[in-house]
Amino acid sequence: MAWSEETWWTLIKLGIKSKDGHIYRADRYKQVYWSGTTPGLDNLLSVTLSPITHLGGYWTDYLPSAYNDIIYVPPEPVYKQDEPNFPQGIAYVKFIKNAGEDSGRIAYFNEQDVEVYSDQIGYNQPAPRPNTDYTLGTVTNNDLYLIIGCWQNWSETTFSVGWAITGSIDPTMQDHYAILKAWDFCCVPYMSGASMNLLDAWLYNKYWDPVGNAGIPDPNGGDPEGGQGDWRSPDEDVPMPPLPTKSAAASGFMRIYNISAQELNALATELWDPTFEQSIVKNFQSPFENIISLAIVPYAGFTGSSEPVQIGNYKANVVADALDNTYYQIDCGNIELDNYYDTFADYDGYTEMQLVLPYCTTIPISPTEFVGGSINVMYNFDVFSGACVAGVLSIRDGHTRLMYMAQGNIKTDLPINGQNYMRVYTETAASIFQLAGGLTAAGGAMAGGNLAKGIGGGLGAVGGAIKETANIKPEYQRAGSAGATHGLMGMQHPYLIVKRPRMWIPDGYREDHGYVSNKAVRVGDEEGYLQSDVSFNALRGILCTDKERDLIKQAFARGIYI
Amino acid sequence: MYMNTFMNSSDNDKLNKDLTSVESNIPIILKDDTYIEKPVIEVSNTVSNFNYCYISDFDRYYFVTSKGYSQQRYIYQLEVDPLMSFRDEIEDLELIANKSSSKFNLYQIDQDVPRDQRDIINLINFQNGFNGGGGEEYVLAVAGGYQPEPGPEPEPSEEVSVNGME
């Protein structure tokens, strides 16, 4: 189509990302490749994306250093105290473009309707227009689509979006946030050029493909995201279970002390004093029979009150903290797992992830369940029995989901007499055999699993081809089960091992080979490489011989260039 | 019957060929019985070099697959280019694209995308954990150990005579 008959629009999707009360700036943007001869289009793809840092009331624009598929991770979260998690109210776009360039138009789509803000912006301006604010309207949900159209070449242009948190328009742009989740560019040919109706209908039908160029709507309808689901199936949060409230410490039948090394030495000296037994008034033959256990635990955040150690009815001359509870929880923190390639290579079958859980085991986890969000590990444990449960949670799309659990033991028992020592030794020896044989430990900890098969047989679910890909490389089993003593000598905090494929895409690959599409297209509207298993019957409308029809079918099977 | 000759610089699988015209309206004769998909033609005059042609009577474009000379005539074996010959109808086709340069979904698995054997390995630590390695603590569990609150001092008792006897 002639350039003069068309207006090219760029659709930029903005989202809001909030996490734990903090608001993050853009951490990812992706440029959509578009080949063509339309002059304005190439330059529009050079739009400078401007993640914005909000620094206590002012915002600062800065430019990324490259445009093509970079992942930009902010060095620290951007937030302001006492602000709501999700800003509401009027959204603004700040627009800076070079002087002398032709005009354009800004519209926004808020999943309700399309509003055209201005007819022309930056039209024949002799100088750049910094701090020019265009009101986008009220943000009522999490996604905002910013539509920018240009008629001719635009060089580097900066778009920044923010919300007024004071509720009023501040001409100096103070107290504005820019909360950007991702910039997804999509270039759409605007067919009519006279109104927004076609674009409006196109957006409402959600033909916009967030990955790759959407082009014109699918004339045959259908969901470009595939399947027939409406993406509204019930989805609930599954957080880490709460700690039990009834512990051994509160039973009244025992006392549990967090005792220092010095106090423990003093207690041992006192108990072994030959004059000690003369003070015993209970029925037990030895004070040691009143000692249930002595252990080392890798935790120091106990709660309790200081008091003399009492063994049975004997009050020792040693003071220690008596615990009021034996159940504790450790939140090991979160790891952000953004897309690395933002393609299939980020997910199962290509990217592999293993999580090393101290005192439990190493487990394979599914990237599909975490990529795009964050992974959180929490431990619930009992310092009396030593039992621990590690929970692996996926925090994504506003939901927290407990995806994996592992069990183990954090307590290292210490013998207090000869008989007691034999029991401890036997348990330790058994734990060693478990490491060698890969059996489950006494506490139920899982042995390190076969990574490729550790995700519920997911490899089979995506087809044999993926299994072939995964089987190219041998599979290695990391650590075995970790009993408490071994855990004490091992890592004390979880860590994630991520193994990603190194994609090797030469220049021109997309033009020569294309990428997987599975979309309904009209041949004449495509550019570059197109490959299709078009049926013979679909070619019946072409007035050619059957032999020629077969040649056309073969050409499409090889792939043609348009 | 006439043909127009061209030099084709495009890939055979390109829909719209980039053609450079060489000569037009060259008289040709079909050699023996021939098929429209693979005609063999004879040209009596010397013609400039070409690798592509259009025969108006067939309304088709052809690749030159072979060239010969016999009895003072140039003989060309041609093979139809169905893409160029029916490009208008092909452009109107609506089909499902398996692969595309312009409309694709990168989240769909593409086994053809080359990869290097050197995987990228990253280890990422969580911020918090246990206190082993120097921060561990002793925990002592004992039976009993109940420590009642001390009660009030008992009142001193008075001597009581039994049966009036002291």
Side-chain angles (χ1 to χ4, degrees):
Chain A
M1 299 178 95
W3 169 239
S4 60
E5 297 174 0
E6 289 182 350
T7 298
W8 293 93
W9 295 82
T10 293
L11 185 67
I12 304 173
K13 178 183 177 183
L14 310 171
I16 300 175
K17 181 178 183 180
S18 91
K19 171 185 169 183
D20 299 327
H22 296 165
I23 300 172
Y24 287 79
R25 60 192 169 181
D27 55 10
R28 172 86 175 130
Y29 78 95
K30 180 174 66 68
Q31 184 179 28
V32 173
Y33 293 107
W34 184 271
S35 62
T37 57
T38 308
L41 201 58
D42 292 334
N43 286 329
L44 190 59
L45 288 177
S46 297
V47 167
T48 300
L49 301 182
S50 186
I52 297 171
T53 302
H54 183 253
L55 300 175
Y58 296 86
W59 70 5
T60 304
D61 297 339
Y62 58 93
L63 307 178
S65 59
Y67 305 119
N68 299 320
D69 280 0
I70 66 172
I71 298 176
Y72 179 79
V73 181
E76 57 184 9
V78 176
Y79 67 96
K80 186 174 180 181
Q81 292 182 351
D82 302 323
E83 291 303 329
N85 292 343
F86 292 93
Q88 298 292 326
I90 301 173
Y92 299 89
V93 62
K94 187 166 78 171
F95 173 66
I96 299 175
K97 70 181 277 292
N98 288 338
E101 294 177 343
D102 207 344
S103 56
R105 187 173 292 183
I106 287 182
Y108 74 91
F109 171 66
N110 203 17
E111 292 191 290
Q112 295 174 1
D113 56 87
V114 179
E115 294 289 340
V116 179
Y117 167 76
S118 63
D119 290 331
Q120 291 177 334
I121 49 176
Y123 180 68
N124 288 336
Q125 294 297 313
R129 303 179 65 186
N131 296 326
T132 301
D133 307 329
Y134 300 91
T135 304
L136 294 182
T138 301
V139 177
T140 57
N141 55 32
N142 289 354
D143 290 335
L144 177 70
Y145 296 82
L146 184 63
I147 307 167
I148 300 170
C150 70
W151 280 263
Q152 291 185 5
N153 298 352
W154 280 2
S155 56
E156 292 188 357
T157 310
T158 299
F159 300 99
S160 307
V161 180
W163 283 263
I165 60 174
T166 61
S168 61
I169 300 175
D170 187 337
T172 65
M173 296 302 287
Q174 294 183 22
D175 296 333
H176 279 79
Y177 272 115
I179 303 99
L180 305 173
K181 178 180 179 181
W183 299 80
D184 286 329
F185 281 92
C186 170
C187 294
V188 181
Y190 183 51
M191 307 306 288
S192 69
S195 70
M196 298 290 290
N197 291 339
L198 181 63
L199 184 62
D200 184 35
W202 180 72
L203 290 173
Y204 270 117
N205 286 298
K206 297 204 189 299
Y207 286 144
W208 177 51
D209 179 6
V211 180
N213 296 334
I216 62 172
D218 184 347
N220 296 319
D223 185 350
E225 293 297 322
Q228 299 299 318
D230 61 2
W231 307 96
R232 289 178 174 81
S233 61
D235 197 1
E236 300 178 350
D237 284 7
V238 181
M240 188 69 177
L243 293 171
T245 56
K246 293 180 175 56
S247 71
S251 69
F253 285 92
M254 64 183 67
R255 208 76 173 155
I256 301 174
Y257 299 98
N258 170 220
I259 187 168
S260 70
Q262 294 85 344
E263 293 161 348
L264 191 61
N265 286 331
L267 178 64
T269 301
E270 185 174 332
L271 293 181
W272 284 111
D273 189 320
T275 64
F276 171 77
E277 290 192 8
Q278 315 215 356
S279 306
I280 298 298
V281 297
K282 276 296 190 182
N283 294 329
F284 292 107
Q285 297 182 356
S286 165
F288 294 96
E289 292 182 6
N290 288 328
I291 297 177
I292 297 172
S293 67
L294 175 65
I296 297 174
V297 294
Y299 185 71
F302 300 109
T303 56
S305 54
S306 179
E307 63 183 43
V309 173
Q310 179 143 346
I311 305 175
N313 272 351
Y314 176 75
K315 187 177 294 186
N317 296 316
V318 172
V319 175
D321 290 336
L323 305 187
D324 56 11
N325 185 27
T326 61
Y327 295 109
Y328 295 90
Q329 185 179 80
I330 290 178
D331 186 345
C332 299
N334 295 3
I335 291 177
E336 295 284 335
L337 287 174
D338 292 330
N339 282 293
Y340 187 84
Y341 292 106
D342 205 9
T343 69
F344 63 90
D346 287 320
Y347 300 94
D348 293 355
Y350 287 84
T351 292
E352 301 171 359
M353 292 184 179
Q354 287 182 312
L355 190 57
V356 178
L357 297 169
Y359 299 96
C360 293
T361 186
T362 298
I363 60 171
I365 61 174
S366 165
T368 302
E369 296 167 346
F370 297 96
V371 168
S374 61
I375 180 172
N376 172 237
V377 173
M378 300 183 73
Y379 277 82
N380 286 352
F381 54 94
D382 173 24
V383 297
F384 172 61
S385 66
C388 72
V389 168
V392 183
L393 299 101
S394 170
I395 302 174
R396 191 170 65 176
D397 301 326
H399 289 287
T400 299
R401 305 181 181 96
L402 182 62
M403 304 302 294
Y404 300 86
M405 295 190 78
Q407 332 173 40
N409 197 297
I410 63 164
K411 189 174 72 140
T412 300
D413 281 317
L414 302 178
I416 55 175
N417 57 31
Q419 292 175 336
N420 195 239
Y421 176 74
M422 279 308 299
R423 177 180 62 81
V424 174
Y425 174 79
T426 302
E427 287 179 356
T428 302
S431 173
I432 293 173
F433 289 134
Q434 287 158 13
L435 277 173
L439 301 175
T440 56
M446 301 183 296
N450 184 317
L451 177 64
K453 300 172 186 172
I455 309 174
L459 286 178
V462 295
I466 302 304
K467 190 175 181 180
E468 291 172 5
T469 301
N471 283 344
I472 288 174
K473 293 178 173 289
E475 297 151 355
Y476 298 96
Q477 180 165 337
R478 308 183 193 276
S481 59
T485 305
H486 310 92
L488 199 60
M489 294 183 285
M491 291 295 294
Q492 297 302 305
H493 54 78
Y495 63 95
L496 181 68
I497 304 170
V498 182
K499 188 162 74 170
R500 295 186 177 90
R502 188 186 299 269
M503 310 310 288
W504 196 264
I505 302 175
D507 289 341
Y509 182 87
R510 180 179 58 86
E511 291 79 8
D512 287 343
H513 295 84
Y515 292 111
V516 172
S517 174
N518 288 321
K519 293 185 181 290
V521 302
R522 178 179 169 274
V523 175
D525 296 329
E526 296 298 295
E527 290 182 359
Y529 180 80
L530 176 67
Q531 188 268 325
S532 172
D533 294 327
V534 61
S535 68
F536 198 83
N537 280 336
L539 302 174
R540 284 288 179 192
I542 299 177
L543 298 178
C544 60
T545 65
D546 278 351
K547 188 169 179 59
E548 290 168 331
R549 193 168 289 112
D550 192 54
L551 289 174
I552 296 173
K553 186 176 186 309
Q554 292 175 26
F556 270 107
R558 291 191 301 269
I560 66 173
Y561 297 90
I562 302 169
Chain B
M1 186 172 285
Y2 297 90
M3 76 172 175
N4 298 335
T5 62
F6 304 90
M7 287 301 290
N8 170 37
S9 58
S10 300
D11 188 281
N12 285 3
D13 285 331
K14 192 173 194 300
L15 183 61
N16 281 299
K17 303 293 189 296
D18 297 323
L19 303 177
T20 302
S21 178
V22 177
E23 290 184 52
S24 301
N25 296 321
I26 299 172
I28 62 173
I29 301 172
L30 292 178
K31 180 177 171 58
D32 300 330
D33 295 334
T34 191
Y35 293 97
I36 198 171
E37 298 94 356
K38 285 188 175 181
V40 179
I41 63 172
E42 293 181 352
V43 179
S44 57
N45 300 327
T46 302
V47 296
S48 300
N49 191 30
F50 67 100
N51 64 3
Y52 199 80
C53 67
Y54 173 77
I55 299 177
S56 56
D57 285 54
F58 293 157
D59 191 20
R60 279 164 170 75
Y61 289 87
Y62 294 91
F63 300 105
V64 177
T65 57
S66 179
K67 176 181 176 181
Y69 185 80
S70 172
Q71 299 177 351
Q72 298 180 337
R73 285 178 177 272
Y74 294 93
I75 301 172
Y76 296 90
Q77 288 187 333
L78 309 177
E79 186 168 335
V80 68
D81 178 4
L83 295 180
M84 188 67 172
S85 300
F86 303 99
R87 63 182 181 278
D88 291 338
E89 293 150 285
I90 291 173
E91 285 181 348
D92 283 336
L93 281 176
E94 295 175 354
L95 42 76
I96 304 293
N98 292 346
K99 285 202 166 186
S100 169
S101 294
S102 57
K103 202 179 293 182
F104 46 84
N105 184 343
L106 293 175
Y107 290 119
Q108 295 204 29
I109 295 166
D110 190 343
Q111 298 181 65
D112 294 331
V113 175
R115 57 183 288 185
D116 194 294
Q117 187 72 357
R118 298 168 295 170
D119 291 339
I120 302 168
I121 311 289
N122 294 119
L123 267 65
I124 311 168
N125 286 313
F126 283 83
Q127 301 92 328
N128 307 313
F130 290 95
N131 286 53
E136 55 272 11
E137 292 283 336
Y138 289 108
V139 172
L140 175 69
V142 298
Y146 172 66
Q147 301 189 7
E149 290 292 328
E153 291 290 332
E155 295 288 334
S157 59
E158 296 180 358
E159 292 186 359
V160 178
S161 62
V162 177
N163 297 329
M165 296 175 65
E166 292 186 356

